[in-house]
Amino acid sequence: MASLSAISEELAEIEGQIADIFRALSNGFQKLEKIKDSNRQSRQLEELTGKMRECKRLIKEFDREVKDLEYRNDPDTNKMLNEKKQSMVKELNSYVALKKQYASNLETKRVELFEEPGEGFGEDNVLLASSMTNQQLVDNGNRMMDETDQVIERSKKVVQDTINVGTETAAALKAQTEQMSRIVNELDSIQFSIKKASKLVKEIGRQVATDRCIMALLFLIVLGVIAVIIVKLVNPSNKNIPDIPGLAPPVPSRKLLWNLD
């Protein structure tokens, strides 16, 4: 019989997750038997219930994957997969039944916990009242009224303390709100300053770029003038080069008088 990993890697992975949950459920119920506190038992049951929900979801996912692969598997493989699914469902149902049993026992304990002390207390009160004289009953009633007044006074003090705490909390919240408003205003001012500074930087950048262009043009003009001067000095008879304004034309060569003879 082929293993699940040979049939489908996803089926093998789902089966591994379900097996891990079953082990966790087994250990959880064993731990639950040793817990005596009802509140801890309730929390443990809630945790185990969550694991059972997750297991149910994985079994459904396993079943969907089996149905998707059913058309390409042989009948023996499909039978083996269905039997494995039924085995998972059966094991999960056993844990569900165990969980219901623990939950029922826990509810029974809670009912006993709330009912028994009240019944005994009522019987004690009946016996105590029947054995008291009228004066004792009056004194007992006065004492109970004094205790009730003290409880009321303590309750008033708690309420007043709560009101004071609420007032202080409201004042603190108001101060924090005002501080937050100031911070927001400061942030708005900073943002405005940053935008203004960004505009100034852009304008300065454009001005610098313009200045650079002007300097480049001036440099080219100076180079041109220097080139013309050099050409004029080297070849003064060249008529294709105009005279440079402000620059005197070259002095013609003079002939000595004694060379005329």
Side-chain angles (χ1 to χ4, degrees):
M1 185 178 296
S3 62
L4 286 181
S5 58
I7 299 172
S8 171
E9 292 291 338
E10 187 172 356
L11 283 177
E13 182 179 357
I14 296 173
E15 184 195 26
Q17 294 177 1
I18 293 173
D20 292 339
I21 293 177
F22 281 152
R23 283 193 294 272
L25 289 173
S26 177
N27 295 331
F29 279 108
Q30 291 177 4
K31 181 180 177 181
L32 187 63
E33 293 178 356
K34 301 176 182 179
I35 298 175
K36 302 301 181 182
D37 183 63
S38 59
N39 292 326
R40 291 181 58 192
Q41 287 181 347
S42 179
R43 289 194 295 270
Q44 181 71 7
L45 276 179
E46 290 177 0
E47 183 179 350
L48 294 174
T49 303
K51 292 184 181 298
M52 284 186 277
R53 292 196 189 99
E54 178 64 15
C55 185
K56 182 179 179 181
R57 184 189 68 80
L58 289 172
I59 291 175
K60 288 183 178 180
E61 188 174 347
F62 184 91
D63 184 51
R64 285 195 297 268
E65 185 67 18
V66 169
K67 290 180 180 178
D68 291 339
L69 298 175
E70 189 175 5
Y71 71 96
R72 70 179 190 183
N73 293 331
D74 57 84
D76 293 336
T77 301
N78 290 329
K79 181 179 178 182
M80 181 269 291
L81 293 175
N82 287 323
E83 288 177 352
K84 187 173 287 294
K85 184 196 73 171
Q86 294 298 329
S87 175
M88 294 175 182
V89 172
K90 183 177 180 181
E91 187 171 358
L92 177 60
N93 287 335
S94 65
Y95 285 118
V96 172
L98 192 60
K99 177 253 180 183
K100 291 180 178 179
Q101 179 181 353
Y102 276 102
S104 178
N105 294 337
L106 185 61
E107 289 298 327
T108 302
K109 289 181 180 178
R110 287 180 176 177
V111 170
E112 292 175 354
L113 180 64
F114 282 106
E115 287 182 355
E116 289 180 357
E119 293 174 357
F121 182 74
E123 293 176 357
D124 292 340
N125 284 340
V126 171
L127 294 175
L128 184 62
S130 61
S131 61
M132 285 183 178
T133 62
N134 292 335
Q135 185 61 37
Q136 290 176 336
L137 289 173
V138 171
D139 294 339
N140 189 32
N142 291 331
R143 187 180 71 255
M144 292 179 66
M145 290 176 64
D146 292 337
E147 292 176 355
T148 303
D149 291 338
Q150 293 175 3
V151 171
I152 293 173
E153 290 297 327
R154 287 196 296 269
S155 300
K156 287 181 179 181
K157 184 178 179 182
V158 171
V159 171
Q160 186 62 40
D161 292 341
T162 304
I163 293 174
N164 294 334
V165 172
T167 303
E168 293 175 358
T169 304
L173 289 175
K174 183 179 180 181
Q176 291 178 0
T177 302
E178 293 176 353
Q179 185 178 4
M180 289 297 295
S181 298
R182 290 195 297 270
I183 293 172
V184 170
N185 293 332
E186 291 177 0
L187 288 176
D188 291 339
S189 300
I190 292 172
Q191 186 177 7
F192 176 77
S193 300
I194 291 173
K195 288 182 179 179
K196 189 174 181 180
S198 299
K199 290 181 180 179
L200 290 175
V201 170
K202 290 180 181 179
E203 291 178 359
I204 292 172
R206 285 195 294 268
Q207 186 175 359
V208 170
T210 304
D211 293 341
R212 287 182 179 178
C213 292
I214 293 173
M215 291 177 65
L217 290 175
L218 290 175
F219 181 71
L220 292 176
I221 291 172
V222 171
L223 288 179
V225 171
I226 293 173
V228 171
I229 292 173
I230 293 173
V231 173
K232 270 290 187 182
L233 293 175
V234 172
N235 189 10
S237 61
N238 190 349
K239 302 299 182 179
N240 294 325
I241 301 175
D243 294 333
I244 300 173
L247 184 64
V251 179
S253 60
R254 292 179 296 177
K255 296 181 180 180
L256 296 177
L257 292 178
W258 54 79
N259 289 332
L260 296 176
D261 295 336

